[in-house]
Every structure is written in C-alpha cells, then in structure tokens.
Amino acid sequence: MEPQEQHQEPVNDGLQKQEQHKKHKEKKKERLLDFLRAAPSKAPWFSFSGAAFLTRLASLRTTNNPAASRRLPAFVRSVDWRALRAKCLALYAKCGLLHRAQRVFDEMPHPSTVPWTALITAYMDAGDLREAVHVARNAFANGMRPDSFTAVRVLTACTRIADLATGETVWRAAEQEGVAQSVFVATAAVDLYVKCGEMAKAREVFDKMRHKDAVAWGAMVGGYASNGHPREALDLFLAMQAEGMKPDCYAVVGALSACTRLGALDLGRQAIRMVDWDEFLDNPVLGTALIDMYAKCGSSVEAWVVFQQMRKKDIIVWNAMILGLGMTGHEKIAFALVGQMENCTHTGLIQDGRRYFHNMTKLYHISPRIEHYGCMVDLLSRAGLLQEAHQLVDDMPMPANAVILGALLGGCKIHRNTELAEHVLKQLILLEPWNSGNYVMLSNIYSNRGRWEDAAKLRLDMKAKGVEKVPACSWVEFEGKVHEFRVGDKSHPLSDQIYKKLDELGLEMKTMGYEPTTEVVMFDVEDEEKEHTLVHHSEKLAIAFNLLVTGPGETIRVTKNLRVCSDCHTAIKLVSRITHREIIVRDNNRFHCFRDGSCSCNDYW
C-alpha cells in the first residue's frame, strides 16, 4: 500500500495546483469585468495602465458575457483613448463588435499596418471573407506596407474565396517589403496559386523558397494531385523523400490521390510506409485517401480491411467505402442508399433502383437530392428507357446539372437516339461550353448513323470555338515507374515489341470469332482503316506492354482517363481468356475486372 500512497501524493498536489491556477485566472477575469461594470467612475485609473488593461480585456472575449459587451462602448467613451485607438480597435474586433471596430477605424486619419490588420482579421474571424478582402484592397490602395503577419492573413482570405487578383497584389507587396522569403508568407502564396489552379506560378514561388517545411511540400504535392497533375505530384513526393523531409498528412493524401489517379498501387504502398499506421486509423482524411486508393486500384479487400480497422469513421469515410464497393462489383455489400442506387445503375437492376428511389420519400421521408436524381436518370438511360429518364429530368424540383444531362446523353449514345441527344447537347453546351466530351459523344452518334456531314460540321464547330478533344490516355505501373500510352503511340522504348504482341493477340482473337466494332470510330474512312485505329487504342497498348514485362498469372492493372469503348471491352475479355490473366481496367466511370472471357460489369457500363 505504501508505494501507491507515495505515488498518489504528487498526483494530488498537481491536481490541486491546476485547480488553484484555474481559480486565480477566474478571479482576475472577474476583477476585469467588475472594472468594466463600474466604468466610467474608474476612468482616472485608466490613464496610467489603459494599454495593458485593454490588452487583458480583449483576451476575455466579452462576447461570452453579453452584459459586459453592452457596457464596453460606454467604458471606451469614458476615457481619452485617442492615443490608444489601435488597442481599442483590437478590443472591439476581438469582442465581435465589428460595426464599432469599423467606426473606430474610420476615425483614424492615417491608420498604420496594425489597425488595418486588426480590421481584416476581425472580418475573417467573423467569417466575412469577402469584406476582409475588400478591406485589404482598400489598405493596399492607401499605401499600407504589409508585414509577414498581414501578408499571411490576407493571402489566406484570398485563397478561401479564390480571389487571385488581390492575392497577387499582396504577394507583390510582400516581395517589395522583403517579407516574401518568410516560409509562412511563401507557403500562403503557394496555397493561393494552388487553389486557383495556377500550378506553374505555385511552383515558381516554391522553387524560390530558401527554406521549405513539410507544409510547403504538402501544399505543392496536394496541389499537383488536385489539379490533375498526378505524375508531377508523385515526382515531387519522391523528391521530398530524397531531401529527407518527413511528409505531413496533406503530402501523403496528395501522393495517394496521385497513385489513385494513375492506378499506381505499388507506389501508393511505398507512400503508406512513411506514415505510422495508427495515423491512418485515427485520421479520417488519411484513412479516406487510403481506402479510395485501394478501392480504385482494384484491391477492394485491402480497402475493406482498412475500413474495418479505422477507429474514427465520418460520413466521407463511409461514402468512400460504399462507392468503392459499388465500383468494383460488390453490390451485395454496398450498404447505403446512394451506394445501392449506384450499384443498380451498373448492374441493370431497374426495378430495385425504382424501389429504392420511391422508398426515400414514402418510407424514410427523405427528399431526394440532385445526386439521387442523377443515379435514377443514369439507371433509366442505360436501360433504354430514355423517355422516362427525360420526363424525370423535366419533373425534377431543381435545374438539371451537367452530370444528369451527361447521363441522359450517354443513354442516347448507347441506344442511338439522335434526336434526344441533340436536344440534351444544346443544354449541356450552355452549361459547360468548353467540355469537348459533349461534342465528341454527339459526333460518335452521327457517325454510327452514317451522318458524316453532320459529324464533320460538329468538329468544325468545335474548332471554331477553340474546343479541343481530350486525348485518351492509359497508364500502367511497372517497377515503381508509371508508363503512359496514347492511341497509336510509338514513343515507348518497347513499341516494336508491343505492336508485335498486339498483332499476335489479334490473330488469336479472330480465330475465336472476334470482329472489330468499327462503328465506334467517328471518322468517315474505310473499315480497314477503322480496324487499324481500334487495334492501337491506348488501353490495348498498355495491356500488351504489361503482358511483355510481367510473369504468367500476374494481375494486370490499367487506368484510363476516358470511358472504355465497346470494341476494347470485347477485345479485353478475349485477351483475358487467351492469356489466363486477370485484367483490371479502371476508366472514368467504373472498374472492369476481366477474368476468363467475362467482365465484372456484365457488359453494362
């Protein structure tokens, strides 16, 4: 018993000291508030300690004490505070009295950087970022010279509302004042450019930084990943490792996101090893990125293991797992309503989808959101029930967005309803005039119907408007390197062997009855030339490369940025049978797991 008692005494002493310190702080707080309640009778005392008092009073955040907040204006008026305007402004700002803070500021003839910053910070703390940036613009127009703290605050506000013009003004002023070399200011500028999609400018600032911390590296890695530059994100992440810098959460999330985009599962596993496993289990942001990578790289078992082990699961974690299961064909485990509806869309369970949609309002009293309508429109469109889908779009309580109209247009292509496709496309062009996919899809419909002149006119219209078709790309990972392929690509060092392999596979497929689906080629050329084009699609080149460099029985993983065409889908099924390989292809719509001549999507994608 004695050891326990001896051990307990210092613990009790520590608790008593903490309690005494807490009571002491409360007493000081009460004395300050008592002083405020007694104002203005104690105004003379203010003359020799007003600055210190205002600083202490501001720390109380009197918004937590409404009575004190009401007395604050009378207290400030009771003293001669002209020499202490900045302190009074900070006091009002920290107490949330913005209109009074603004009034004090407006009475300042020549405000310095400190009151400008206090007012900007006050609006930011109140959540009024646009007004904060408006104040900042006025500050710079009036010749304010920012210090590092001001520059960081204003750059942060500009980042949150994506005001690139004002942010660049701040950054130029920071450079002129010599504070741009501060790691905090430079990182804030990097973050601004990243959020505004200006990756070249972000990289320029990053490269000029003399000292880069983990936050700066993470901002750049994450920026490349979120702005559609996965290869650059991974290159920078590897450079970060070479510099001996331990990555923070955002750098790891960016690297995993890049690996997800490229289907680079092995590189993702390398990134995971740089972080303590408990961080993935306790941090929903990291855990979601890891689940998403495993699921979208075709390893749903590993995704499920991570999900089960995670100790903190928010709604985003659940959604990542649900959607991952739905994409990989595990429909019986997709256990949320949206997951169920997504699953119905990709497996053709029309009646089930209708029932889920109907039950939302009738049984669960949940008003469908636009994403639920999108699932239902996609389901009906793919099933060929285009009029029903079109009617559902017209009956929606909210305007249709590009996702919903795109689903309807996709159904029109599958079922060759040119008239409805033209109607939908006109609406899509209004919503997103620079999206080449809309034009390409309608051009393919025209081509399938033999309307070559209309297809040609559409391409001319695209050219006149400066709309460029997004080139199809496929990626595969091999020995820690990502290999990229494009249609007809001959830049790869193994090109000769790749094309020879495709020719060999083509001969075997024809003996099995394969005939190229030339109608998916949008150009008005002879069938022989169409067939030649189809053979060299990017995913076929990627698969041929993998067959050359991997051993028998190894799984092949390919990632493509566009939807797999019907000809490639048929061909890959046959290749999986010929080579006795599992081939996993992730396009921009879902996963296709090809085994022994069949696909997990059941030819419904």
Side-chain angles (χ1 to χ4, degrees):
M1 289 295 293
E2 287 185 8
Q4 288 181 341
E5 291 174 358
Q6 291 174 357
H7 177 70
Q8 194 67 26
E9 286 179 4
V11 173
N12 290 333
D13 287 345
L15 290 173
Q16 289 174 359
K17 288 179 181 178
Q18 288 180 9
E19 190 65 29
Q20 289 172 358
H21 179 68
K22 184 178 178 180
K23 288 180 180 178
H24 183 62
K25 286 180 66 177
E26 287 297 322
K27 284 182 180 179
K28 288 198 292 185
K29 179 177 177 179
E30 282 302 316
R31 282 200 295 269
L32 285 171
L33 291 175
D34 287 342
F35 181 88
L36 181 59
R37 295 185 191 103
S41 62
K42 295 192 178 183
W45 179 88
F46 184 85
S47 60
F48 62 85
S49 58
F53 178 79
L54 281 173
T55 301
R56 296 281 298 280
L57 187 60
S59 69
L60 293 179
R61 296 277 182 161
T62 59
T63 47
N64 296 327
N65 190 313
S69 293
R70 286 193 295 271
R71 293 187 181 93
L72 183 60
F75 169 74
V76 174
R77 286 195 301 271
S78 70
V79 297
D80 182 12
W81 50 267
R82 284 173 295 179
L84 300 170
R85 283 191 178 98
K87 291 289 184 182
C88 290
L89 172 60
L91 173 61
Y92 277 135
K94 289 185 177 181
C95 292
L97 300 173
L98 291 179
H99 62 292
R100 295 188 180 276
Q102 183 70 60
R103 188 183 302 171
V104 172
F105 180 85
D106 291 340
E107 292 174 358
M108 291 181 174
H110 303 291
S112 65
T113 299
V114 174
W116 277 114
T117 304
L119 191 60
I120 292 166
T121 301
Y123 280 112
M124 288 182 68
D125 290 344
D128 194 347
L129 296 173
R130 295 194 180 279
E131 186 60 29
V133 172
H134 174 71
V135 172
R137 281 197 291 265
N138 290 338
F140 285 101
N142 283 278
M144 183 190 74
R145 301 172 64 179
D147 56 20
S148 59
F149 179 77
T150 306
V152 170
R153 295 297 285 166
V154 179
L155 285 169
T156 300
C158 292
T159 299
R160 291 180 184 172
I161 64 171
D163 187 341
L164 181 61
T166 304
E168 289 192 310
T169 300
V170 178
W171 174 241
R172 285 193 294 270
E175 289 181 311
Q176 292 168 4
E177 293 301 316
V179 298
Q181 280 302 319
S182 161
V183 67
F184 304 107
V185 177
T187 301
V190 168
D191 200 37
L192 169 75
Y193 283 128
V194 163
K195 295 297 193 304
C196 293
E198 297 285 346
M199 290 308 301
K201 292 181 178 179
R203 185 59 185 262
E204 183 180 350
V205 174
F206 179 79
D207 287 341
K208 289 181 180 178
M209 291 176 68
R210 294 174 187 168
H211 306 288
K212 304 179 180 75
D213 60 9
V215 177
W217 282 95
M220 278 302 302
V221 173
Y224 274 132
S226 62
N227 282 285
H229 303 287
R231 296 177 70 91
E232 289 84 351
L234 284 179
D235 288 343
L236 196 63
F237 186 74
L238 295 174
M240 183 181 185
Q241 290 180 260
E243 292 280 335
M245 180 69 64
K246 180 176 173 60
D248 65 0
C249 168
Y250 298 101
V252 176
V253 169
L256 292 178
S257 176
C259 293
T260 302
R261 180 78 181 270
L262 297 172
L265 185 58
D266 289 339
L267 283 175
R269 287 174 175 145
Q270 290 180 33
I272 294 165
R273 287 194 286 269
M274 299 187 67
V275 181
D276 187 271
W277 185 246
D278 283 336
E279 290 190 48
F280 285 104
L281 304 184
D282 291 327
N283 187 328
V285 176
L286 278 171
T288 299
L290 184 55
I291 289 170
D292 195 50
M293 184 200 72
Y294 277 140
K296 290 181 178 177
C297 288
S299 185
S300 55
V301 172
E302 289 178 280
W304 181 250
V305 169
V306 174
F307 177 77
Q308 286 186 309
Q309 291 183 6
M310 282 190 68
R311 292 186 278 266
K312 293 182 180 179
K313 299 187 183 84
D314 59 15
I315 188 64
I316 300 174
V317 173
W318 282 85
N319 282 341
M321 191 67 249
I322 291 164
L323 293 175
L325 290 167
M327 285 182 67
T328 50
H330 295 85
E331 60 274 358
K332 292 183 179 179
I333 318 174
F335 39 76
L337 189 58
V338 175
Q340 289 173 328
M341 292 199 66
E342 287 285 348
N343 163 58
C344 293
T345 295
H346 296 303
T347 55
L349 303 177
I350 303 165
Q351 295 302 325
D352 285 350
R354 282 188 179 129
R355 185 174 71 255
Y356 289 132
F357 189 77
H358 180 267
N359 286 347
M360 285 185 69
T361 52
K362 298 299 181 183
L363 291 182
Y364 304 110
H365 307 291
I366 300 171
S367 297
R369 298 196 302 269
I370 195 165
E371 52 264 44
H372 302 114
Y373 280 99
C375 291
M376 198 66 208
V377 170
D378 194 26
L379 168 64
L380 295 171
S381 298
R382 290 173 184 275
L385 302 173
L386 296 174
Q387 292 307 316
E388 185 179 347
H390 189 203
Q391 189 62 50
L392 182 61
V393 172
D394 288 343
D395 293 342
M396 284 170 51
M398 71 285 287
N401 60 13
V403 175
I404 286 178
L405 293 175
L408 185 55
L409 185 61
C412 292
K413 179 183 182 299
I414 295 170
H415 302 286
R416 302 185 184 182
N417 189 325
T418 313
E419 292 76 15
L420 182 56
E422 288 181 280
H423 171 74
V424 174
L425 183 62
K426 289 176 183 177
Q427 298 179 62
L428 275 170
I429 289 174
L430 291 175
L431 284 173
E432 40 180 30
W434 303 112
N435 187 340
S436 63
N438 301 327
Y439 295 90
V440 172
M441 191 173 288
L442 183 59
S443 181
N444 283 339
I445 293 173
Y446 285 150
S447 301
N448 293 342
R449 298 288 293 271
R451 294 171 59 181
W452 299 109
E453 289 186 8
D454 289 334
K457 287 178 183 177
L458 195 64
R459 291 197 297 273
L460 288 174
D461 188 34
M462 288 175 63
K463 187 175 181 181
K465 292 180 179 179
V467 180
E468 296 183 358
K469 182 179 181 295
V470 176
C473 297
S474 292
W475 299 274
V476 292
E477 180 190 13
F478 179 66
E479 292 185 345
K481 182 179 178 182
V482 177
H483 298 257
E484 180 179 308
F485 298 90
R486 301 194 177 199
V487 60
D489 188 6
K490 294 189 176 181
S491 61
H492 197 278
L494 298 180
S495 282
D496 290 342
Q497 295 169 259
I498 290 170
Y499 280 88
K500 183 180 177 182
K501 186 67 176 178
L502 283 177
D503 290 340
E504 294 172 359
L505 290 171
L507 291 174
E508 289 191 66
M509 287 191 295
K510 284 189 175 181
T511 63
M512 300 170 71
Y514 165 73
E515 291 184 6
T517 314
T518 56
E519 63 183 17
V520 301
V521 181
M522 62 183 287
F523 306 109
D524 185 14
V525 295
E526 295 298 325
D527 281 349
E528 184 178 347
E529 189 174 345
K530 289 182 183 180
E531 183 176 335
H532 178 76
T533 302
L534 288 170
V535 169
H536 302 151
H537 275 190
S538 63
E539 57 266 55
K540 291 178 181 173
L541 295 173
I543 290 170
F545 166 75
N546 247 337
L547 288 170
L548 288 172
V549 298
T550 59
E554 286 190 45
T555 299
I556 294 173
R557 289 184 170 86
V558 178
T559 302
K560 186 178 180 181
N561 65 335
L562 302 177
R563 182 177 177 271
V564 173
C565 75
S566 57
D567 179 77
C568 285
H569 194 268
T570 300
I572 298 171
K573 286 196 294 183
L574 294 174
V575 171
S576 70
R577 176 177 291 179
I578 293 168
T579 60
H580 304 290
R581 297 278 197 115
E582 179 182 12
I583 303 174
I584 300 174
V585 178
R586 178 168 69 87
D587 65 10
N588 67 346
N589 196 46
R590 68 161 295 148
F591 270 92
H592 302 268
C593 300
F594 299 92
R595 295 189 190 93
D596 195 29
S598 62
C599 180
S600 59
C601 75
N602 295 318
D603 299 336
Y604 200 87
W605 80 105

